[in-house]
Amino acid sequence: MNTRIAIVTGASKGIGKAAAIRLARDFAGVVVVARTAETLTDTAAEVERQGAASLVIPIDLKEPGAAAAVVARTVERFGRIDALVNIAGAVLQADLFSMTDAEWDDGMALKFHGARRLTLAAWESLRQHQGSVVLTSGATALAPKPAFAAVGSINAAIAALAKAFSERGIDDGVQVNSLLPGPVMTDRRRSMLARYAQAHAIDVDEAKTKFASEARISRYGEPEEIAELIAFLVSPAARWLTGSAVRMDGGESKAI
């Protein structure tokens, strides 16, 4: 009998939503976490259409007490946690020399500290059930540039955090990996392309082609493609894969 339970953060849209819906095929229940209740409800409905139970938790993971609340509600409803997929956390894309301390702190508060706190809070249940954790970083961790300084730096920190958790996981039986997606066609990416197209008096398709060419990839990824990789990472088939920074970026990163 399938009794496994997954928590997915950032589940209201993009990769997080796609991951929650995909995991509903493999888990008995999926807990969807993000700040916006209305969009989370849409995700939960899709989860239930896949045959899994859902639990909607609209909460801001920037708040220090939020992680403990998510774990408490999950254990109260389902009794266990078998997988934690940390995806929440959009980071401002701005030049290294223009960002304020407050902007840096804001990026760290959700993507890094939110994931760190939630992993710590869920750890005991994950240990009991020999669970899995994915911390979503990004391909920019491998080659930060001035225009993406905060994104790259925070992503690198998350990959390092995942490695540290994975070392503890060897003793506790918890599998931990970081995931480094490349350019994915999310709503945020579409908005960025639309702004660029408007500023340069070109259409969105041309902007999309231009950015893909500059990144040296054939196309943008889709959230569902990343979701399939996440499903593999938290599956029994991937159990020996731990402590790894798993890259799926269409070849954007040129390092071996």
Side-chain angles (χ1 to χ4, degrees), residues 2-15:
N2 182 9
T3 59
R4 295 200 305 153
I5 303 300
I7 298 174
V8 181
T9 74
S12 62
K13 56 187 177 181
I15 294 172

Side-chain angles (χ1 to χ4, degrees), residues 108 112 116 135-138 141-142 152-168 176-180 243-246:
M108 288 291 291
F112 182 85
R116 178 184 61 82
L135 291 106
T136 304
S137 170
L142 302 173
S153 298
I154 292 169
N155 282 341
I158 290 168
L161 179 67
K163 189 67 174 177
F165 271 124
S166 75
E167 286 293 305
R168 177 62 177 266
V176 184
N177 292 290
S178 59
L179 173 62
L180 282 66
S244 294
V246 182

Side-chain angles (χ1 to χ4, degrees), residues 62-83:
K62 290 180 184 178
E63 299 299 324
V70 169
V71 169
R73 288 191 59 187
T74 300
V75 173
E76 180 183 17
R77 168 73 183 276
F78 294 114
R80 60 190 292 158
I81 302 168
D82 299 88

Side-chain angles (χ1 to χ4, degrees), residues 84-97:
L84 169 60
V85 182
N86 294 287
I87 299 175
V91 180
L92 178 68
Q93 295 181 1
D95 185 77
L96 172 62
F97 289 86

Side-chain angles (χ1 to χ4, degrees), residues 101-152:
D101 285 354
E103 289 168 340
W104 277 94
D105 290 345
D106 186 69
M108 288 291 291
L110 178 55
K111 189 161 188 176
F112 182 85
H113 291 304
R116 178 184 61 82
R117 292 189 193 105
L118 189 52
T119 303
L120 288 169
W123 194 265
E124 179 55 26
S125 188
L126 290 163
R127 185 192 65 78
Q128 291 175 12
H129 301 288
Q130 303 293 278
S132 300
V133 180
V134 174
L135 291 106
T136 304
S137 170
T140 53
L142 302 173
K145 298 177 181 178
F148 301 95
V151 180

